[in-house]
Amino acid sequence: MIATPRMRGLDMAAGGSASRRAQEARRQERQLREQWQSARRQARQWEAASEGERRVAAQMLVLTERGWRLLVDRRWPGTRSANVDMLLVGPGGVFVVDVKNWGSAPEASGGKLRAGGEPRDEHVAKLLAVTKAAEGAVASLGLSPVAVQPLMVFAGQRIDAGIGRVRLLGEHEIGPALLSERRRLRTESVRVIADHLERVFPDYEGSAVGQTMQPVPVRPQQVESDGLFDLAGLRDAALEEALQAPIEQWMTFLHPGQVALVRRNWSGPARISGPAGTGKTVVGLHRAAHLARRTSGRILYVTFANNLPRVQGTFLKTMSPAVADRVDFRSLHSWAQEFLQERGVQVRLHGDKAMTAFSLAWKHVGRDSCLAEIDPVPGYWREEIDYVIKGRGITTFEEYAAVPRRRRRATLRRPHRQAVWALLEEYESLRVERGVHDFNDVLTLALAEATRRTDGPRYAAVIVDEVQDLTLVGVRLLHALIGDVPNGLLLVGDGQQAVYPGGFRLADAGIDIRGDRGQVLHTNYRNSKQILDTALAVVADDAFDDIDGLRTPGRRDVDLTYHDGQVVRVTKPSVAEHDQVLLDALRCLRDGARADAAVLCPSMRAISHYQRLLSREEIPVCLLEHYDGRPVDAVKLGTYRRAKGLEFKWVFLPQHDAALPSGALSGGPGASEKPETVCEREELLRSQLFVAMTRARDVLWLGSVDR
């Protein structure tokens, strides 16, 4: 083939590019060599250190040219003579470093450390203890425990292994390992955290090393005197950074009160509650990482929705990859089915066949009964069976006749309850005849197996997110897995954000939350005042019964940290005109913004409509049921329920009021004239809309069509 001028030009361009890359590589090599030589010279000044320790120190001193701060030979606070070899603070976080100059190679096996045939576990225990002290020191700055990592570095050895949360690295592995850490801290944060640790871990003799690679004297007043970066200033700066990259911020900075919850020791089951946007899920994820680092068992992190476990698992892998494989993120029903399969219990879950059985039961015994006088819609009575009877594990009519029907407004006298029971028995007969189970059966069977098992707990801890969406049987099942052991069961959720009918109290599940084991978060970190006020207006008149048994008003007091959000209202005379404005707004999103934008709808029918519309206009779409938390430059599309536990900078709610009759958005005038079952349905729809609205951080777009 004859080379054309254009091809020769491409070859020259490619060659030039390769040449530039080679020149840059040589420049980097020279720079690193110079930094290494300078670091070796400084390391030799530490007369007390061995040659091996000096080489390790030199590896780390190279990092100080790249934005890291090194504190050497620090005193352990609270002790007279114990020391910490090194504290390293940089873009990758805080590292507590213990340098070993052993003659024998270290061996890590079965969670134990040995060298020369001798056990050396006491060195691991000491490093973990000082790491805990470092975590406590930076907690006041809002730094999460996941950003503090213990390292044991072996001079003259080659190793890259782990014992629990302690990473074991050789002399030549330490530099590349630290440089490969993803960025957690900004330059300003590195400086203020290092200065803070200088005060908490005082030096023996000028043992701080800065970017100039010269000893840095202790400056006790630096944090207080440096205007922007006092403790409150650092928290403000961290929050501002969170507005640019919220998920990244979850991995590093929390409010100090949240950090305290992550690290707290609880004597039994605990609960974290609070209004939307107060960071309950964030605390739950950090708690999972914290417990995984401190226990040898597995952690179960469970929620009701099927899509959330994928997203939460992705977040934890990015946040704390060292322990991510020890946390099982599962939806409750998928976990229960797997558990039953392991126990040899056959399950034939078939939602469609179960629904057909109920429809026939309604036709046979329900449609012409007294139930139709209260509500002729069979769905209401299916919910009664799912959430009040089977969801609570009720097996006799007398028990059902006396049970309080929490979060159900319609009054049912004994004849009505007898009619419901007859409907239940007909449904169960038809279901069994078809040889299928429904979703409640799966949990009931799993609870029976969990109660019977005698081989001890299979998890060190169980964390339940969005607990208000579970049934009573589901909560009992998870409690049965772990019992009341210290730090065993953590329930996270908020009754106001319940998106399913019915309800329960924790006392009904035999769970006793006492004293400080019940924590309420009050500060909203997600929504601006404009967005939150708009959402609260929807549920202001809907008081609710929380799972702790307290009656709570719909409008609650919340402290706000974010004030720059915007609510955009669009009303058009037709669906076509409304949808055109939505498309225009989505096209106006700047490059990359689609990754943090969501279109949320109340029903699957609406989802189908907008999926077709966006696809036809070549706007990339990612369905929430397929979303796994990894950034993708596509508009997320899903139902209000699928959006639980998520947040987005831009949230679009097309035809947001279409599912509710006029005047029903706030439970306003005329509500008293409606049947109780209608009021109950509208209240649930308002709760779902409230959840969707509070997913928005920067912009909440509300579309309406004149009706």
Side-chain angles (χ1 to χ4, degrees):
M1 183 177 65
I2 300 174
T4 66
R6 181 176 180 273
M7 293 173 63
R8 286 194 293 270
L10 289 173
D11 289 341
M12 292 176 64
S17 176
S19 176
R20 284 193 298 273
R21 287 197 297 271
Q23 291 175 14
E24 175 62 19
R26 287 193 293 270
R27 187 190 70 80
Q28 288 282 347
E29 181 184 359
R30 287 195 301 271
Q31 183 184 55
L32 283 170
R33 191 180 299 278
E34 291 169 359
Q35 291 170 357
W36 167 253
Q37 291 170 350
S38 177
R40 287 296 305 275
R41 286 194 297 271
Q42 177 151 351
R44 290 194 189 101
Q45 297 174 10
W46 298 328
E47 295 179 358
S50 69
E51 176 58 26
E53 290 171 332
R54 290 173 187 157
R55 290 197 305 270
V56 172
Q59 289 269 9
M60 297 186 189
L61 282 167
V62 171
L63 298 175
T64 62
E65 281 289 313
R66 295 170 176 258
W68 295 69
R69 284 277 297 279
L70 179 61
L71 311 178
V72 180
D73 200 19
R74 315 301 294 186
R75 280 186 290 172
W76 188 346
T79 67
R80 290 189 175 184
S81 58
N83 76 307
V84 182
D85 285 349
M86 298 179 188
L87 292 170
L88 190 64
V89 186
V94 176
F95 297 86
V96 182
V97 185
D98 185 13
V99 180
K100 298 301 182 186
N101 193 27
W102 295 347
S104 301
E107 301 172 4
S109 177
K112 301 292 185 180
L113 178 63
R114 303 179 68 86
E118 298 294 327
R120 302 292 180 95
D121 291 330
E122 71 276 9
H123 297 276
V124 174
K126 177 186 174 183
L127 178 56
L128 288 173
V130 72
T131 301
K132 185 175 181 180
E135 289 176 355
V138 296
S140 62
L141 303 179
L143 193 67
S144 168
V146 303
V148 183
Q149 302 178 57
L151 298 178
M152 191 171 289
V153 183
F154 298 89
Q157 305 290 342
R158 285 192 174 275
I159 186 173
D160 188 346
I163 296 179
R165 65 178 299 201
V166 177
R167 189 172 182 184
L168 312 178
L169 292 170
E171 173 185 320
H172 297 284
E173 287 77 22
I174 180 65
L178 291 172
L179 284 173
S180 66
E181 287 283 335
R182 64 162 197 80
R183 185 178 182 86
R184 294 178 183 271
L185 304 178
R186 297 179 302 168
T187 302
E188 298 88 343
S189 299
V190 170
R191 181 166 63 84
V192 74
I193 290 170
D195 288 345
H196 183 63
L197 288 172
E198 274 190 307
R199 298 196 320 278
V200 177
F201 293 82
D203 67 337
Y204 284 100
E205 292 183 6
S207 52
V209 183
Q211 284 183 293
T212 60
M213 296 192 292
Q214 295 298 322
V216 178
V218 178
R219 292 161 288 179
Q221 301 300 319
Q222 173 144 348
V223 173
E224 287 79 358
S225 63
D226 190 350
L228 176 61
F229 292 102
D230 54 6
L231 298 187
L234 179 64
R235 291 195 289 270
D236 291 343
L239 180 60
E240 182 180 351
E241 187 177 9
L243 301 183
Q244 302 302 319
I247 301 306
E248 286 295 316
Q249 197 64 13
W250 288 8
M251 303 167 192
T252 304
F253 282 101
L254 302 174
H255 186 277
Q258 293 176 316
V259 176
L261 292 181
V262 170
R263 303 176 67 236
R264 179 168 296 183
N265 283 317
W266 277 302
S267 59
R271 184 194 175 199
I272 296 176
S273 61
T278 52
K280 299 180 293 297
T281 294
V282 176
V283 172
L285 286 171
H286 282 262
R287 178 72 174 175
H290 177 76
L291 292 176
R293 288 174 173 226
R294 283 158 180 77
T295 63
S296 57
R298 301 193 66 77
I299 311 298
L300 175 63
Y301 195 108
V302 67
T303 190
F304 183 81
N306 287 324
N307 60 311
L308 267 184
R310 292 193 302 271
V311 176
Q312 292 163 335
T314 297
F315 290 166
L316 190 71
K317 285 178 183 177
T318 308
M319 183 171 72
S320 190
V323 299
D325 62 348
R326 294 194 33 240
V327 181
D328 296 334
F329 288 93
R330 302 295 301 275
S331 68
L332 178 58
H333 284 92
S334 68
W335 180 88
Q337 289 182 75
E338 183 178 294
F339 172 65
L340 289 170
Q341 184 178 8
E342 292 173 357
R343 306 285 292 187
V345 178
Q346 185 177 12
V347 177
R348 294 189 61 192
L349 179 63
H350 201 299
D352 290 340
K353 288 185 178 180
M355 180 59 75
T356 299
F358 176 80
S359 297
L360 289 172
W362 175 256
K363 178 181 177 181
H364 294 164
V365 302
R367 186 171 59 189
D368 297 326
S369 72
C370 60
L371 299 181
E373 300 170 3
I374 296 177
D375 195 319
V377 179
Y380 184 84
W381 305 109
R382 176 65 192 264
E383 292 171 353
E384 184 77 9
I385 290 174
D386 281 345
Y387 294 97
V388 179
I389 300 178
K390 298 187 72 170
R392 294 180 63 89
I394 293 174
T395 57
T396 68
F397 170 71
E398 292 305 323
E399 185 181 1
Y400 173 55
V403 72
R405 300 168 59 253
R406 306 197 187 283
R407 301 191 76 154
R408 301 287 274 178
R409 298 174 60 148
T411 301
L412 296 187
R413 295 183 173 85
R414 189 175 182 89
H416 299 123
R417 298 201 186 203
Q418 287 174 330
V420 172
W421 198 260
L423 178 62
L424 166 70
E425 290 184 327
E426 179 70 7
Y427 163 61
E428 288 291 275
S429 176
L430 292 168
R431 180 188 61 77
V432 172
E433 181 181 301
R434 284 159 174 74
V436 298
H437 295 105
D438 62 22
F439 286 100
N440 279 297
D441 296 326
V442 173
L443 300 187
T444 300
L445 291 169
L447 174 58
E449 283 299 314
T451 304
R452 277 197 293 266
R453 62 195 309 266
T454 59
D455 52 349
R458 58 188 285 154
Y459 292 103
V462 175
I463 298 175
V464 187
D465 202 359
E466 306 289 356
V467 63
Q468 74 279 353
D469 288 335
L470 272 57
T471 62
L472 180 60
V473 170
V475 175
R476 284 175 175 162
L477 166 60
L478 295 169
H479 185 211
L481 294 180
I482 195 68
D484 295 328
V485 301
N487 299 316
L489 180 65
L490 175 62
L491 306 173
V492 180
D494 171 39
Q496 189 172 36
Q497 298 179 71
V499 295
Y500 297 95
F504 60 88
R505 291 181 179 177
L506 290 177
D508 299 332
I511 299 175
D512 185 10
I513 306 292
R514 295 186 180 184
D516 69 349
R517 287 192 275 122
Q519 293 287 323
V520 183
L521 304 180
H522 297 284
T523 302
N524 185 306
Y525 298 96
R526 179 195 303 145
N527 309 123
S528 69
K529 186 177 188 303
Q530 300 94 320
I531 292 174
L532 188 60
D533 283 348
T534 300
L536 285 173
V538 173
V539 295
D541 298 325
D542 296 334
F544 63 95
D545 292 320
D546 209 345
I547 61 176
D548 56 9
L550 296 178
R551 187 72 173 168
T552 306
R555 184 178 287 277
R556 293 183 280 177
D557 293 331
V558 181
D559 298 325
L560 297 174
T561 61
Y562 181 47
H563 303 279
D564 297 329
Q566 180 184 10
V567 177
V568 177
R569 295 182 182 272
V570 172
T571 302
K572 292 296 176 181
S574 69
V575 173
E577 292 173 280
H578 164 281
D579 289 352
Q580 187 57 53
V581 178
L582 172 64
L583 291 172
D584 292 342
L586 292 173
R587 291 193 190 97
C588 286
L589 293 176
R590 62 180 183 271
D591 290 344
R594 285 190 296 255
D596 217 351
V599 174
L600 305 178
C601 304
S603 66
M604 290 307 299
R605 176 179 295 181
I607 292 296
S608 298
H609 168 74
Y610 285 104
Q611 184 177 13
R612 288 193 300 270
L613 179 66
L614 270 59
S615 298
R616 187 174 67 234
E617 298 298 321
E618 298 184 341
I619 295 176
V621 171
C622 173
L623 294 176
L624 282 184
E625 60 187 284
H626 301 147
Y627 176 53
D628 65 0
R630 286 179 286 192
V632 54
D633 189 24
V635 174
K636 310 305 179 297
L637 178 63
T639 63
Y640 296 168
R641 291 176 178 179
R642 288 280 188 187
K644 290 290 293 286
L646 304 176
E647 68 174 60
F648 304 95
K649 292 183 181 179
W650 296 272
V651 169
F652 300 84
L653 305 183
Q655 303 185 63
H656 76 288
D657 52 356
L660 284 161
S662 179
L665 267 182
S666 60
S672 60
E673 303 172 3
K674 299 175 182 177
E676 289 178 311
T677 56
V678 173
C679 292
E680 184 181 324
R681 275 196 291 270
E682 290 179 355
E683 184 176 327
L684 188 61
L685 289 171
R686 287 193 294 271
S687 179
Q688 294 169 355
L689 178 58
F690 170 78
V691 167
M693 287 179 166
T694 54
R695 301 308 96 194
R697 205 196 69 193
D698 291 354
V699 175
L700 173 61
W701 189 96
L702 300 175
S704 300
V705 177
D706 280 338
R707 289 180 282 176

